[in-house]
Amino acid sequence: MIKKSLTIFLLLLLVFSCDKKGKGETEVTKPNVIFIMSDDHTSQAFGIYGSRLASLNPTPTLDKIANEGMIFDNCFVTNSICTPSRATVITGQYSQANGVLDLEGHIEPERQYLPQEMKNLGYETAIIGKWHLEREPASFDHYTVLPGQGKYHDPSFIVQGDQPWPKNKIQTKGHSSDMITDISLDWLKNKRDKNKPFFLMHHFKAPHDDFEFAPRYKDYLEETHIPEPASLYDNGNNGSIATRGENDELIHDIGSSVSKRNTIRGMHMRLWSGQYTKISNPDFDPSKRIKEGMSDREFTHETYQEYLKRYLRCVKGVDDNMARLVQFLKDEGLYDNTIIVYTGDQGFMLGEHDYIDKRWMYEESLRMPFFVRYPKSIKAGSRTNAIINNSDFAPTLIEMAGGKTPDYMQGNSFKPILETGEEPDNWQQSTYYRYWMHMAHAHANPAHFGIRTKKYKLIFFYGKYWVDTDKPGADWNKKSWGNRFTFHTPPAWELYDLENDPEEMNNLYEDPAYKDIIADLKTQLADKRKELNEDDGDKFPHIQKVIDEHWDN
């Protein structure tokens, strides 16, 4: 009787287990992992972050996923530019440690650590979409990646094949967000080894500029007023002589703009030309919006409205394709056994302080959207203000997959935060940032570094390129368009009280009431630089000289 009961119990257990598997799936004990990263999808362009754009409901699918897991309110990038950010995600290391300081950097296969570690844990690995690290992503079992930045419409992809990298290519017809999702779904359904858990990096090109949305979205938000940041028109006491120059003499050179302020690179210079609307919206007619005799404020308003609508149409394409991906996972019985991570590769300025693009340590550029869904260990509806950055992603994914953070990674695993909702007693209370690509691509952002805590942000603009351009015989890329690496900008410090001034409208560095706070932050900053081997003395003595001369200013 006991044997018979035991047999029946085991049969029922087997039936139940089989019912829980996806179609054609074998029993997999480890969770699958999908790491989804969009390009320049900033936290302002979500519902979950409560920005001025939240009322537009730009991301209903992503918001739903986020609310079924944990949302991070204080996730930051270590270097706000595409290639360095992606290098940090793959290596778990900051820019100086992994060697990718700017857009000209690359990651060799032997340093593509994250897929290597996941493979060691028994995962089949794939990357589909934007790669942007130049060398072959050979550490992945499978790849289908855009060449360089890739195209929005009818993109080609580099694939594995008989010819050496990057000669094996396929051609697709359609919008990149749709094509990348099609390829990921095909790999998930037809091409992976279903006896193994999978680790898929699904990387959208959108919503990177120049915001070439799928034609089906051309009327989306067309008649809607997009809320505008007050700092688009009045920047208060944001910035310093490092960003404005003495008596504002550099405001036309530094920081690409929405308005006509920057005479070298403004959003309007591309937006109204019609160059990027031939496929997205062939009926686009700028003359209906831009009239002779308009005031500068009217011109800025029209430019901002068009800028945001194109950007949010690209975001809409990402969100709709996320709905396709979620539905597939549900249909295949994979949704609840898959760790779903969503982020952008950095933040993005959507007109705040009259800036476009990223690169800045200002909040909208520094902050990354980040959330994780995995109902087996993450409570739905949870949220944290713990400070994390993109060097922490790889250690966390490795530990969630059952491994240990390698010693060579500088990031920290926040797996305990995901599982408990609480910060460990020794958790990091600040994040370090450094932008190396001084005065590049006519976006013209001075090089700077700094520290952000939950209450304050301290930034030092040192204003020099990482190659000493004053040194006779110095070698650097003199052909890349729009770079002014030889133009040194004034050094300066900036301090923002984020509790009382979350929009960073008042640089308090000269305020004597903050003297002790500044001293403490400088100590923390110096300690953080030492911990991360960020001392510039040996490699970049021309920068270290500026730091030494102006540290106590």
Side-chain angles (χ1 to χ4, degrees):
M1 190 65 168
I2 294 173
K3 288 183 178 179
K4 186 176 180 181
S5 297
L6 184 59
T7 302
I8 292 170
F9 173 75
L10 291 172
L11 284 170
L12 286 172
L13 184 62
L14 179 62
V15 169
F16 179 76
S17 299
C18 289
D19 188 54
K20 285 293 183 182
K21 297 176 206 170
K23 299 170 185 177
E25 297 291 311
T26 55
E27 188 68 27
V28 175
T29 55
K30 287 180 178 288
N32 302 302
V33 183
I34 299 182
F35 179 90
I36 302 139
M37 186 159 65
S38 296
D39 195 316
D40 296 340
H41 191 182
T42 185
S43 59
Q44 304 97 284
F46 283 80
I48 54 170
Y49 287 108
S51 76
R52 67 181 184 278
L53 303 177
S55 62
L56 301 174
N57 192 26
T59 51
T61 301
L62 290 167
D63 291 354
K64 188 173 188 303
I65 300 168
N67 284 317
E68 292 174 353
M70 177 175 281
I71 300 168
F72 286 75
D73 288 321
N74 282 328
C75 178
F76 303 106
V77 69
T78 54
N79 184 351
S80 187
I81 190 73
C82 296
T83 304
S85 174
R86 290 162 191 273
T88 292
V89 170
I90 287 291
T91 63
Q93 299 171 337
Y94 289 70
S95 296
Q96 188 163 175
N98 65 40
V100 181
L101 306 182
D102 55 28
L103 290 176
E104 296 178 10
H106 58 267
I107 292 290
E108 299 289 350
E110 58 268 23
R111 292 191 297 123
Q112 295 165 15
Y113 299 133
L114 178 54
Q116 292 170 9
E117 295 292 342
M118 296 300 281
K119 284 165 74 171
N120 290 341
L121 293 169
Y123 280 76
E124 185 173 15
T125 61
I127 182 165
I128 294 168
K130 185 172 177 181
W131 169 237
H132 213 216
L133 288 171
E134 191 174 336
R135 299 296 192 263
E136 181 181 13
S139 285
F140 291 86
D141 295 305
H142 172 90
Y143 63 80
T144 302
V145 295
L146 294 167
Q149 188 61 250
K151 291 171 57 180
Y152 263 118
H153 297 289
D154 300 339
S156 63
F157 291 86
I158 307 171
V159 297
Q160 291 139 313
D162 297 333
Q163 300 184 78
W165 166 271
K167 294 184 177 180
N168 301 290
K169 291 185 180 180
I170 59 171
Q171 181 64 47
T172 65
K173 188 169 181 58
H175 191 270
S176 71
S177 296
D178 302 333
M179 298 300 98
I180 289 165
T181 305
D182 283 351
I183 294 165
S184 282
L185 294 178
D186 180 54
W187 182 78
L188 286 167
K189 188 166 188 175
N190 302 315
K191 294 181 178 175
R192 65 186 176 90
D193 181 351
K194 294 181 181 179
N195 292 307
K196 292 182 177 182
F198 61 81
F199 171 61
L200 169 63
M201 301 191 85
H202 174 95
H203 290 182
F204 290 104
K205 171 182 168 62
H208 191 281
D209 70 4
D210 287 287
F211 320 120
E212 296 177 60
F213 50 87
R216 64 182 179 273
Y217 297 120
K218 68 182 182 66
D219 296 323
Y220 174 63
L221 298 175
E222 183 62 23
E223 303 302 322
T224 302
H225 171 77
I226 310 298
E228 300 177 354
S231 60
L232 175 62
Y233 301 103
D234 181 2
N235 203 19
N237 188 39
N238 170 268
S240 60
I241 61 167
T243 62
R244 298 195 306 258
E246 294 281 0
N247 301 314
D248 286 350
E249 65 185 2
L250 294 177
I251 63 170
H252 302 298
D253 297 80
I254 289 177
S256 50
S257 61
V258 176
S259 74
K260 295 178 181 178
R261 173 186 54 79
N262 190 304
T263 57
I264 300 169
R265 186 163 184 170
M267 178 56 67
H268 59 91
M269 296 175 186
R270 294 174 177 234
L271 211 57
W272 301 116
S273 69
Q275 179 182 358
Y276 297 99
T277 57
K278 293 175 183 176
I279 299 175
S280 295
N281 185 6
D283 299 324
F284 178 69
D285 183 0
S287 68
K288 292 180 179 178
R289 307 270 296 282
I290 300 300
K291 311 287 186 182
E292 273 191 46
M294 293 178 81
S295 68
D296 284 349
R297 189 181 182 96
E298 289 171 329
F299 182 86
T300 299
H301 165 74
E302 290 295 341
T303 301
Y304 175 84
Q305 292 294 314
E306 183 65 25
Y307 167 32
L308 266 289
K309 287 172 184 179
R310 293 191 194 183
Y311 178 87
L312 290 172
R313 286 165 188 159
C314 287
V315 169
K316 174 69 171 168
V318 168
D319 195 73
D320 286 350
N321 275 289
M322 283 302 302
R324 294 175 62 207
L325 183 56
V326 165
Q327 191 58 54
F328 171 84
L329 294 174
K330 288 180 176 179
D331 290 345
E332 297 293 314
L334 295 168
Y335 192 49
D336 287 341
N337 192 44
T338 298
I339 298 168
I340 299 175
V341 179
Y342 186 91
T343 188
D345 58 350
Q346 60 254 327
F348 204 71
M349 307 300 293
L350 296 179
E352 299 85 5
H353 311 295
D354 190 27
Y355 290 136
I356 59 175
D357 204 67
K358 49 264 186 180
R359 305 165 192 256
W360 295 107
M361 198 182 166
Y362 298 134
E363 200 69 1
E364 296 82 5
S365 168
L366 176 69
R367 182 184 298 278
M368 305 172 80
F370 191 85
F371 52 83
V372 187
R373 181 194 187 276
Y374 184 51
K376 293 187 177 181
S377 62
I378 301 171
K379 184 180 177 182
S382 53
R383 198 160 191 143
T384 179
N385 71 347
I387 289 177
I388 64 170
N389 66 48
N390 57 329
S391 75
D392 301 324
F393 296 175
T396 304
L397 291 171
I398 290 165
E399 294 204 358
M400 290 187 78
K404 287 184 63 177
T405 300
D407 292 340
Y408 58 78
M409 288 189 175
Q410 294 175 304
N412 302 301
S413 169
F414 49 86
K415 179 173 177 276
I417 298 172
L418 288 167
E419 293 177 343
T420 68
E422 303 292 334
E423 291 184 41
D425 291 339
N426 60 346
W427 189 251
Q428 59 204 11
Q429 296 301 302
S430 65
T431 188
Y432 177 75
Y433 177 85
R434 185 165 189 177
Y435 176 72
W436 295 80
M437 208 170 175
H438 178 69
M439 297 299 286
H441 297 159
H443 285 298
N445 307 73
H448 56 287
F449 60 72
I451 191 169
R452 190 204 189 279
T453 68
K454 290 181 181 178
K455 291 185 177 182
Y456 302 105
K457 182 183 295 179
L458 181 69
I459 311 171
F460 179 58
F461 290 89
Y462 54 88
K464 286 182 183 287
Y465 186 48
W466 59 271
V467 175
D468 185 357
T469 59
D470 294 335
K471 189 176 181 179
D475 183 36
W476 72 92
N477 185 352
K478 299 179 177 68
K479 296 180 181 178
S480 183
W481 175 83
N483 293 331
R484 301 172 70 189
F485 297 149
T486 60
F487 179 45
H488 309 320
T489 53
W493 289 90
E494 297 180 15
L495 172 74
Y496 296 97
D497 181 337
L498 300 171
E499 283 192 336
N500 297 307
D501 179 27
E503 295 177 347
E504 298 172 312
M505 295 296 288
N506 188 18
N507 175 13
L508 294 165
Y509 189 76
E510 301 295 335
D511 188 333
Y514 285 83
K515 180 181 177 182
D516 291 342
I517 290 169
I518 290 169
D520 178 61
L521 288 169
K522 283 188 178 180
T523 299
Q524 291 187 52
L525 178 57
D527 289 346
K528 185 73 78 170
R529 282 172 54 79
K530 184 176 181 180
E531 173 193 335
L532 297 172
N533 297 316
E534 280 281 315
D535 179 74
D536 292 348
D538 294 333
K539 290 184 180 178
F540 313 106
H542 64 297
I543 295 175
Q544 189 63 48
K545 182 180 179 183
V546 177
I547 296 170
D548 293 342
E549 288 176 354
H550 295 274
W551 189 264
D552 294 323
N553 282 9

